[in-house]
Each structure stands twice: as C-alpha cells, then as structure tokens.
Amino acid sequence: MFYRMGCLSCYDKIDRVTGRLFGQYGAFVARNPWTLIAISLIGNVLLGLGVTRIEIEDDIELLYTPYNSQSSQDRTKVQTLFGDVSAKNFYPQSQTGTGSHGDIIFQSTDGCIISLSHISHIKTMYDKVLNITFADKNNNKLRYSDVCAKRNGYCFVTGDIIFTPSFKLSILSNNITYPLFENVSVKEIFGNVEIENGTLHNATLIKLRFNLREDAKSIENVKLWMKSFLAQMKTMPASRSKTEIIFAHSNSLSDEISSNLDDDILLFALTFVFIILYASFATANWKCISDKQNLAKAGVLATLLSILGSIGLVSSCHVKFVTIVGVMPFLILGIGVDDMFVLLSGLAETYDESPKMEIEERISNVMKSSGVGITITTLTDIIAFFVGTSSSFLSVKNFCIFTGAAVLLCYLNYVTLFMACMTLHEQRVAEGKHCCSNKKVKIEKEEIDKGKSIMCSGAKPMCREDIEGPMEKYPQKFIAKIVLMKPAKVVIICIFIIYLGISIWGSLQFQQGLDLSLLVTEKSYLYKYNEVDRTYFTKSIPISFVIHQSGGYETETAWGKIQKLQSDAENDVVIDPLKSLNWLRDFRSSSYYDNSSEVNFTNALRTKFLPVMPFYQNDIIFDDTSWLVKESRFFVFSKDTADINHFYDVMPRMRDIAKGALPITTYSPAFIFFEQYQTIVPETLQNLGMTVVAIFVVTSIFLPHPVLIFFITLTLLMILVGLFGFMYFWDLTLSFLTMIHIIMSVGFSVDFSAHICHGFMDTRSSDRQEGSRGAIKKAGAPVFNGAVSSFVGISMLAFSKSYIFQSFFKVMLLIILFGAAHSLFFLPTILSLVGPKFEEKSEKEKHLEIPSEICVVCNNKVYPHDHNAKKKFSALGMLKHMMKSDKRNVAWEKRRNSF
C-alpha cells in the first residue's frame, strides 16, 4: 500500500513539475503566435537553403560494408605491400579490390552460340568496344587501350580466346576441351553449357570482360570509359545474327541505386497529397466555426518544413546524402501527423474542462496534457536514431543523422508553428468566425436547439463532442466497448499469446545478410545482367595468405609450416584443392630449385623460375638491399558457385586456420562484403540494448511508475519479437537495411504505448476499468489516427520498384500494425486488470461530482461532463443549468435530493 502510494506520489510530483513548465510555455505561445510563426518559417527556410550544399555518396562498398573492418584494414596492408600491377602484369587473383571492368554477355536466341557465325558477330561487337572513344578532363581523345588492364604489353580481355585461330578450328572439329582450353580456364566464358567427356558440346552464352586499370592515375579516365561503354551498349542496334546483348560494368550497381531515388519522387508527391486529404478528413467535423481542417493542413506544413530544414541543416554539416535517406520523408510525415493528432486531442479535452476558457489558459492546458506526451515520443525516437549513428555502416549512420535531425525539427515546428496556428484557430473560434471565410457567423437559435451546425451557419463549440470529427469520436468508442468486455479480454489475451508463439518461431528461423544486387529494380539493365550471370555462370573466390616473413623460405621448417597451412585450408568444405597457387610449392617441384643456401635460393627464384612463371611475379616482394624474399603470398580458391555470398562463413574459418606459428594475413576482396555477416548481429543487438536502456530511463523520468515502465518494456519486447518473426515470413533478412527499421521500431513502439499509459494515469481513477476507458478516450483516437496516417504515409511505397523502399514499406507496416494492436488492445486490457490505482474518492466528492451525462453551469461558465472532475460546484449552480433541460429534470431531482 505504502509502495503504491509512493509511486503515485512520485508520478504526481513529476507530472506537476513538467505540467507547469509546459503550461508556462503554452501560455507564452498564446501571447506571441505571430512571432513564433515568423521565427519558425524563417528558421526552416534558412536551414533549407543548405540543400544547395548537398553531397551524395553512392560508393557501394563505403555505404554497405562495415567501416574500418578487419578486411578493409587487411586490404590496405596488402595494397601497401604488393601495390597495383593492373597496368603491366594483370592477373585476376592479384587484384586487391573487386576490379574495374565492363562486361558483355552474348546470348543466342536460336540455341547453340558456338558457331563461326556467332563468333564473327561477337568479334564485330568486340571491335566496336575497343574503338569506343571518350574525352578526358583535358579533352584528349582516349580509347579502351588507354585504360585497359595489361599483361605482356597487351590489353587483357577475359574471353578473347574465342577469337584465336585454334579455337575456330576446334569449333569446326567439335573438340573444345573444358574446363581448360589450351591451359586457359573457360568456365567464366561459357554459360549454360553441355559437357561430354571433357568436351564442350553446347553453350548458349558467351561472356567477355574488358578489364580496366586500377591505379590512382587512371581512376577518372576509367569512370569516363565506363560511362561511354554504357552509352554505347544502350544504343546498340538489334542483332541480325540472333544474338541478344546483355551488359553491365563494375560501377553499375552504384549508378542504378542512385537512379532509383529519382524514380520515386512521384511517390512522395502522391503521399503528401494523401496525407493532407486524410488529415483533413480525420479532423473535419463540418461545422463552420469549430472545423479543424485548416489546422490539420498547418500540421502537415510543419512536417514538410522539418523535412526541408533537416536535409539542409545536415547537408551544411557536410554529412553526405545516401540513397536510403530517401525513405525519411515518408517516415517523418507519419511521425509529424501522429503528434498533430495528440495535440488536437489535448485541445478537445480542454472543452471538457470549460468551453469558455480563456485562449491563453486553453493553449497552456493543451501543452500541459499533450506536450508531455509528444515530448516522450520525440525523445524516444531521437534516442533510437542517436544510437544508430554509432553504426559501423555509413548508410545506417547517415540515415540516422538525417532522420534524427528531422524528428527534432518536426517536434520544434509543432510546439512553435503548429501551436501558434492553434492559437489563431482558437481566436477565430472565440470570435465566432467562419473557418473558410474568416467572417463572423450568424448563429441561428433554432439550429443550436436542434443540435445542428452546418458549414454555412452554426455556433461556438460547447463541449468535446462539438469539436471532434467522426474519426476522432467513434474509433475510441468502438475500441473501448470491445476491450472492456470480459469475454473480449480473454480473447485478446489468447490472440496475443498465439501471436507471441508464432513470432518466437519465426525469429528462430530469421536469417542474416543481403545480396546487394537486389537493390536494383527489375526495369534496370543491371537486373537482367545479374539474373543471367547468376543463373548460367559460376564464380570462385580467391583467398590469399600473405606471409610476413623475411628470408628463411629455403628451410624445411618454413616449408612445413606453409605446407600445413595450405593443406588445412584446402581441406575446408568450400575450398577446391586443385586450384591452389603456391609459388614455393611449384618452385620446389621445378628443376630450378636450389636450397643449398639462401642466396642461391633467391637467385634461382628471381632469375630462373619467375621469368617462366610470370603469374607468380605479383606474389613475391624482395628486399631492396639483400634481395631476399621479404613478403610473399599463396592462394586457395573456393569451389565454383553461382552466388559467392553463400560462402560467407569461409572467412572466419580461413582466419582461424591462419592463426599459428607464421605471421599471416588472410585476405580476399570478397571478404570486404562478407564482413556484414560478422558485424550485423552483434551491432544490431548492441544498438537495441543501448536504445532500450536509454528509452527505459526517459520513460522512468516522465512516467515514474514501475508498473507502467514494466508494461511499456514488455510491449516493446513483444513488438520486437513479432517484428523479427514476421520479417522471416515476408522473406526479409537481417541486414544494414532492416537494422535501420529495427532501430526505428523501438521508437515507434514506445510512441503508441506511452500515449496510452500517459492517458491511463491522467484519468486518476481508482477503478482500473474506468482508467482503461479514460486512456482509450484520451489517447485512443490519436493512436488510431496516427497509425492510419502512418500507413497512408508509407502506402505509396508498396508501388515502388526499389528494394530499399519495398523493404521499408514491409517493415513499417509490421511496426504500425503491431504497435497499434498492442497499444489499443493489449495494453488497455492488461491495465484494466493489473494497472495502477489512485485513491478512491470520498463520499462528499462523489456527491459533488458532475454527473457524467450532463453539462453544468457554474459561476457563469459551462462545464461539460468529466468522469474524473474534482471541482466542487454549488447545488444552486447545477440546478440553474438542469432546470433548462426537460430531458434531464428527473436525473437532477435525484441529485438535488442528495444535497
């Protein structure tokens, strides 16, 4: 008992302090509406000017892989040691990056592509690509030969072996050996193959890869060539030899993801229109004085200004815009309109207190009752995004910065611009002016008596019913009737138990990782290339083991360690032992091997072995003075696979194998993208933990009651489990994209539940059932309309072709549904059973309460019904009001006798 009273006393003290502060601010707004409107508009416009300084980051690796990961550090180390040799001795396995290139896949539309006529046509296209010209920054005309990767002084094009005389003879004799033709692998050249006894009998696709240099001096020219290559491919005429051309280049993914944003601008425009229409509809009561449609439009305007201002502000701070920030406006529209409905509910509540309240007092009371609510939800959202800024993924970090800034500006706009507009709205209502024409409305007595109020005539609102529209009145009444019935409570609890069971099962099946090729739309040329390439061509991952040992390679001890390391790696389930490249193994088995001394070993290696084995020249670093082997590396290769992402778990296994006596760095360009699989789970759990703890602290400050804190936390955990579980059913995986959504879900989950819990405490009821009823009455409509407006805000994303926007729509839909369901059904049900209870009212207070069915006149003021009003009115004052209504005489006679 004492514990419960202590909690309620603590809540009362905090509520009084925060209420007083917000009330004082509300009074300040009511006294200076035009000043705040001017400051808000000017401030947002000035911040918005920062969009002129916007910078866009579209580098795939930088955006979608963990920053400063072990693989990126290892790559820097390998690049420093071995440098770039793409301009003189190009071998694919020696590349430290994914490589720069342009690809063309030739697909036969009439069956086999291995014919002289098809090869002749392909050669014509090949020559056109070689002769593509482009201008550098100095306007010099350049061709492929100026930017190509070279070997032995010639441009190296993977697949050009098909143009050799020997290959043409093999076509005629039907004797093309496979997978090696003249010691050259042709697996990556031919697709959809048929093999018999090591001979290639049929294939429907041929792929040519035009490899490009990667040295720093050539980067800009390489980009220009790729741009010209793409333009040339898009304008290629239809084939006359029944060969379809499919193409892409190494930067296609970055370019196509960026272009998706342009395609979805129309969606935002439509969403903006629908949000205005819904906000107007939801707030409309079609009464010429109290109608709030214009006020709703001011709320949408405040949200749009926050989007503009946040992009300008963050861009001015040199934070780069990333593609996934494109979903931010859709998110902020939902958050902003939700705040608007909460504030409008607070405004309606003041008419329960007194319809003739002074405007300054009314605005003050709105901020007292609803200002705390939107402050709690804003803080929870900002905390969630603030935690997200610690992400190692640049895309997640920048998204959280942009969105966090937008949430903050949205809140500031609502407590300044929107509240100032609410003040002007109430001034107009107090003066009895029309909501459209702003002219004085003639009040017809007969219409008031009939309870009618139309857009061309009407009266000032006298109670909450007069100011609320249908979407504000009826949802909360309907929900309250369902939730507060005993049979319904049992059904609701059972449904949520089933929901929790399904969610837990789905969570256990939830996978991680994201194939970046999914980020392009189906209409993109890259989409078709990826589909064909993945379906018909296989790939292998080169994995290098860099040995940091100076000298001593001629000893049996060193060879034993290296041999064991290679053997352990080759025994891995995904490694093909027949593909390994080890210079020391091949040198030892050659006739040039001499280990009589370290000097003889080095001389034989440098002067005899490497000249005849040029592909090993990139793998050995000699000391500049002693000419001893300073650093070296050997390679193992994975088995052929259509999708190398399936082998992501090979990275930690290879690193574990390399932990031994030798100082080793294990590296592969594919590891850069595999790092997401190592990072995403611990980072998501860390961010979730930090966010939940921070929100727990905020909730404890503004709602300092352990029962409420427990139920808000329980609701949050249930929504998160549901989110993980149902994401599995929707074929979504845990990735940098869904991590953003999960971070957002924490804030949204607390938003809705905090409104309900705050409304429950505001009722101050000693009856839990009535407390839940009051919570739904106060917060039910804002939560319902906030959920609907959030859905309207994201609905157009369902029609987007972008995977980023589609995944955002799916996860946000789950968040909205689960958040609204828990807040409108689960929480009121639980609170009606085990929620906090206030002290029961004394008999005197009960007698002096205003009847819940009536309005009361006291001291020349009209007070509408209020279940929890504690104001003491004179019997004479109530008698004067009740005697005016014949319908209520009987009810009043009973109350009068009790006095």
Side-chain angles (χ1 to χ4, degrees):
M1 179 68 176
F2 290 108
Y3 171 73
R4 180 169 66 87
M5 293 304 299
C7 293
L8 294 175
S9 176
C10 179
Y11 174 83
D12 282 339
K13 290 179 181 179
I14 297 293
D15 191 51
R16 281 197 298 270
V17 172
T18 55
R20 183 174 66 253
L21 293 175
F22 280 97
Q24 290 173 352
Y25 173 75
F28 171 78
V29 173
R31 292 192 298 270
N32 306 280
W34 287 110
T35 301
L36 288 175
I37 289 175
I39 292 174
S40 180
L41 291 176
I42 294 172
N44 280 278
V45 171
L46 291 177
L47 290 176
L49 293 177
V51 297
T52 59
R53 305 179 65 179
I54 194 169
E55 298 177 65
I56 299 176
E57 180 60 71
D58 58 4
D59 184 273
I60 294 298
E61 180 185 318
L62 190 61
L63 289 175
Y64 306 126
T65 62
Y67 173 74
N68 200 32
S69 64
Q70 181 178 337
S71 292
S72 63
Q73 295 176 36
D74 291 343
R75 179 178 58 187
T76 301
K77 188 185 299 182
V78 173
Q79 285 177 334
T80 303
L81 291 174
F82 296 95
D84 177 74
V85 293
S86 59
K88 55 182 180 180
N89 193 32
F90 175 82
Y91 284 91
Q93 74 273 9
S94 299
Q95 294 177 289
T96 55
T98 53
S100 298
H101 51 78
D103 286 356
I104 305 178
I105 297 176
F106 299 89
Q107 183 173 22
S108 173
T109 57
D110 63 349
C112 184
I113 199 171
I114 306 175
S115 67
L116 293 180
S117 61
H118 280 103
I119 297 299
S120 176
H121 173 70
I122 293 172
K123 181 63 165 62
T124 301
M125 301 297 295
Y126 169 83
D127 291 335
K128 287 183 179 180
V129 173
L130 295 183
N131 291 317
I132 290 176
T133 59
F134 63 97
D136 64 8
K137 62 181 180 180
N138 297 320
N139 207 30
N140 297 317
K141 296 295 183 180
L142 302 177
R143 288 188 171 86
Y144 172 67
S145 58
D146 297 302
V147 294
C148 67
K150 294 183 178 181
R151 183 191 299 176
N152 299 324
Y154 296 96
C155 290
F156 185 80
V157 178
T158 304
D160 62 357
I161 194 174
I162 65 174
F163 305 131
T164 61
S166 58
F167 187 84
K168 293 178 180 179
L169 290 174
S170 297
I171 291 176
L172 295 174
S173 61
N174 196 24
N175 187 31
I176 303 173
T177 58
Y178 189 94
L180 296 177
F181 179 79
E182 295 184 349
N183 293 322
V184 175
S185 174
V186 293
K187 277 188 174 182
E188 63 270 27
I189 300 174
F190 295 99
N192 195 23
V193 299
E194 293 180 10
I195 311 299
E196 288 186 15
N197 300 322
T199 302
L200 180 62
H201 275 262
N202 188 22
T204 59
L205 303 107
I206 290 177
K207 179 166 71 173
L208 299 181
R209 170 161 289 184
F210 295 84
N211 297 290
L212 300 165
R213 294 171 60 170
E214 291 202 289
D215 55 288
K217 295 181 180 179
S218 304
I219 291 177
E220 292 303 320
N221 287 340
V222 164
K223 290 181 179 179
L224 292 172
W225 182 87
M226 286 191 288
K227 185 177 180 180
S228 300
F229 166 79
L230 185 60
Q232 182 74 22
M233 290 298 102
K234 288 182 175 180
T235 57
M236 283 288 184
S239 171
R240 291 173 295 176
S241 60
K242 298 182 180 180
T243 304
E244 183 181 359
I245 298 173
I246 305 165
F247 53 88
H249 59 73
S250 51
N251 283 355
S252 289
L253 184 57
S254 297
D255 296 344
E256 289 301 287
I257 292 176
S258 299
S259 68
N260 289 345
L261 188 61
D262 299 332
D263 297 337
D264 292 313
I265 291 177
L266 176 62
L267 296 181
F268 176 70
L270 291 174
T271 299
F272 169 61
V273 173
F274 290 147
I275 282 286
I276 289 181
L277 291 176
Y278 178 76
S280 299
F281 169 74
T283 56
N285 61 13
W286 311 109
K287 299 176 181 179
C288 63
I289 294 179
S290 59
D291 189 86
K292 306 187 298 295
Q293 293 186 61
N294 290 333
L295 190 55
K297 294 181 179 67
V300 177
L301 174 63
T303 305
L304 290 176
L305 287 173
S306 68
I307 295 171
L308 173 66
S310 62
I311 294 176
L313 172 62
V314 178
S315 297
S316 298
C317 297
H318 303 289
V319 177
K320 292 187 177 181
F321 185 92
V322 297
T323 305
I324 55 177
V325 176
V327 304
M328 180 267 285
F330 301 92
L331 175 65
I332 299 301
L333 278 173
I335 292 175
V337 175
D338 176 49
D339 287 347
M340 180 190 73
F341 283 117
V342 173
L343 292 170
L344 290 178
S345 178
L347 176 64
E349 187 179 358
T350 63
Y351 281 86
D352 268 351
E353 300 172 11
S354 170
K356 295 187 177 181
M357 186 183 296
E358 293 296 328
I359 293 175
E360 183 175 324
E361 183 182 359
R362 189 180 303 284
I363 300 301
S364 175
N365 287 350
V366 170
M367 287 302 299
K368 280 182 184 178
S369 61
S370 301
V372 175
I374 67 170
T375 300
I376 294 174
T377 58
T378 299
L379 283 175
T380 56
D381 289 336
I382 290 176
I383 287 171
F385 291 118
F386 176 77
V387 172
T389 61
S390 64
S391 174
S392 60
F393 293 88
L394 182 65
S395 56
V396 176
K397 179 179 180 178
N398 286 14
F399 172 84
C400 289
I401 293 174
F402 273 93
T403 310
V407 171
L408 178 59
L409 281 181
C410 187
Y411 171 76
L412 295 176
N413 282 348
Y414 269 94
V415 298
T416 54
L417 176 62
F418 182 74
M419 290 304 298
C421 290
M422 183 183 289
T423 301
L424 299 181
H425 168 83
E426 287 304 302
Q427 289 177 356
R428 178 186 58 76
V429 170
E431 294 170 5
K433 293 182 177 179
H434 199 284
C435 61
C436 297
S437 65
N438 202 37
K439 292 183 178 180
K440 192 80 172 180
V441 175
K442 181 181 179 181
I443 301 176
E444 301 291 347
K445 183 178 183 302
E446 58 270 18
E447 290 184 354
I448 300 174
D449 292 339
K450 293 177 183 179
K452 297 179 180 179
S453 180
I454 55 178
M455 291 301 289
C456 58
S457 183
K460 300 176 185 178
M462 301 303 291
C463 59
R464 182 171 189 147
E465 294 285 322
D466 289 343
I467 192 174
E468 289 185 325
M471 294 299 292
E472 296 171 298
K473 294 178 185 177
Y474 301 119
Q476 51 97 358
K477 291 183 179 180
F478 175 74
I479 293 169
K481 286 184 179 180
I482 293 178
V483 171
L484 299 178
M485 291 190 300
K486 288 184 179 180
K489 292 180 182 180
V490 176
V491 172
I492 289 171
I493 292 174
C494 290
I495 289 174
F496 275 93
I497 291 174
I498 295 171
Y499 151 84
L500 195 59
I502 295 173
S503 300
I504 292 173
W505 186 87
S507 299
L508 296 176
Q509 315 302 317
F510 196 40
Q511 302 296 315
Q512 62 168 318
L514 174 67
D515 181 0
L516 294 178
S517 63
L518 293 173
L519 301 180
V520 298
T521 62
E522 293 184 9
K523 69 178 184 180
S524 167
Y525 69 89
L526 182 59
Y527 181 86
K528 185 172 185 179
Y529 172 87
N530 287 333
E531 287 295 303
V532 172
D533 188 52
R534 181 179 301 168
T535 304
Y536 298 111
F537 293 92
T538 60
K539 302 163 191 67
S540 180
I541 306 170
I543 303 172
S544 65
F545 291 84
V546 181
I547 305 170
H548 307 290
Q549 175 175 305
S550 182
Y553 288 89
E554 76 286 355
T555 65
E556 291 299 320
T557 302
W559 166 240
K561 293 178 180 179
I562 294 173
Q563 186 181 37
K564 182 180 185 306
L565 176 61
Q566 180 177 334
S567 176
D568 290 344
E570 290 174 345
N571 288 333
D572 189 88
V573 65
V574 303
I575 299 298
D576 188 342
L578 301 178
K579 294 181 179 180
S580 301
L581 291 176
N582 188 326
W583 66 271
L584 184 55
R585 178 194 61 187
D586 290 353
F587 181 38
R588 287 174 63 89
S589 62
S590 73
S591 60
Y592 308 115
Y593 183 67
D594 183 353
N595 67 339
S596 58
S597 69
E598 190 170 20
V599 173
N600 292 338
F601 174 89
T602 304
N603 286 336
L605 177 64
R606 291 180 60 247
T607 61
K608 298 178 182 179
F609 179 73
L610 291 181
V612 298
M613 305 290 280
F615 50 86
Y616 283 136
Q617 292 175 6
N618 300 336
D619 301 334
I620 304 171
I621 305 297
F622 293 98
D623 188 90
D624 293 337
T625 55
S626 64
W627 293 106
L628 299 179
V629 177
K630 182 180 178 182
E631 311 271 353
S632 69
R633 63 184 172 185
F634 69 88
F635 293 89
V636 296
F637 295 82
S638 72
K639 295 175 182 178
D640 293 329
T641 178
D643 186 358
I644 62 173
N645 289 314
H646 294 160
F647 290 166
Y648 70 88
D649 54 353
V650 74
M651 180 178 70
R653 294 202 300 270
M654 292 297 104
R655 287 174 176 172
D656 289 340
I657 290 172
K659 293 177 181 178
L662 289 172
I664 298 285
T665 296
T666 307
Y667 173 73
S668 171
F671 286 2
I672 297 290
F673 295 93
F674 290 171
E675 287 287 356
Q676 66 166 310
Y677 295 93
Q678 300 295 309
T679 305
I680 196 69
V681 171
E683 186 167 305
T684 300
L685 294 177
Q686 174 184 309
N687 288 344
L688 270 180
M690 293 171 60
T691 304
V692 170
V693 169
I695 288 176
F696 180 86
V697 173
V698 171
T699 306
S700 301
I701 294 173
F702 287 95
L703 294 172
H705 195 289
V707 175
L708 296 184
I709 296 171
F710 172 77
F711 285 134
I712 289 176
T713 305
L714 176 64
T715 302
L716 171 60
L717 295 177
M718 290 177 64
I719 293 173
L720 286 175
V721 172
L723 187 60
F724 280 113
F726 281 81
M727 282 169 66
Y728 164 75
F729 296 120
W730 219 327
D731 292 328
L732 294 172
T733 58
L734 181 60
S735 65
F736 61 88
L737 279 179
T738 49
M739 181 169 68
I740 292 172
H741 306 147
I742 291 167
I743 291 172
M744 291 189 306
S745 71
V746 178
F748 267 80
S749 303
V750 175
D751 284 0
F752 290 157
S753 57
H755 289 322
I756 293 294
C757 288
H758 190 258
F760 182 89
M761 297 302 289
D762 268 4
T763 61
R764 301 182 177 276
S765 175
S766 60
D767 185 335
R768 294 189 178 106
Q769 186 88 346
E770 289 304 309
S772 290
R773 189 189 306 277
I776 296 173
K777 178 183 177 182
K778 178 180 176 64
V783 170
F784 175 82
N785 285 307
V788 175
S789 63
S790 294
F791 172 75
V792 172
I794 65 169
S795 59
M796 294 308 299
L797 296 182
F799 303 99
S800 172
K801 302 300 182 182
S802 167
Y803 178 84
I804 293 176
F805 281 27
Q806 287 178 348
S807 63
F808 178 80
F809 167 77
K810 292 177 180 179
V811 179
M812 280 301 301
L813 181 59
L814 293 176
I815 294 171
I816 292 168
L817 291 177
F818 294 161
H822 280 78
S823 299
L824 295 176
F825 296 98
F826 176 75
L827 264 181
T829 299
I830 296 299
L831 289 173
S832 70
L833 298 174
V834 292
K837 291 175 65 175
F838 283 82
E839 290 184 65
E840 191 171 356
K841 298 164 187 173
S842 66
E843 290 298 318
K844 185 176 181 180
E845 288 176 320
K846 289 181 180 179
H847 280 295
L848 293 177
E849 263 190 345
I850 307 171
S852 60
E853 306 86 4
I854 65 172
C855 291
V856 180
V857 173
C858 179
N859 298 328
N860 297 322
K861 292 185 178 180
V862 180
Y863 291 87
H865 70 275
D866 184 348
H867 289 288
N868 304 293
K870 295 184 179 180
K871 296 181 177 65
K872 299 179 181 180
F873 304 107
S874 67
L876 180 61
M878 288 189 285
L879 180 61
K880 287 181 179 179
H881 174 72
M882 291 307 301
M883 296 305 290
K884 293 181 181 179
S885 175
D886 292 335
K887 295 180 181 180
R888 295 174 178 173
N889 279 344
V890 176
W892 174 242
E893 285 296 331
K894 294 179 180 179
R895 176 55 60 93
R896 184 181 63 178
N897 293 335
S898 69
F899 284 97

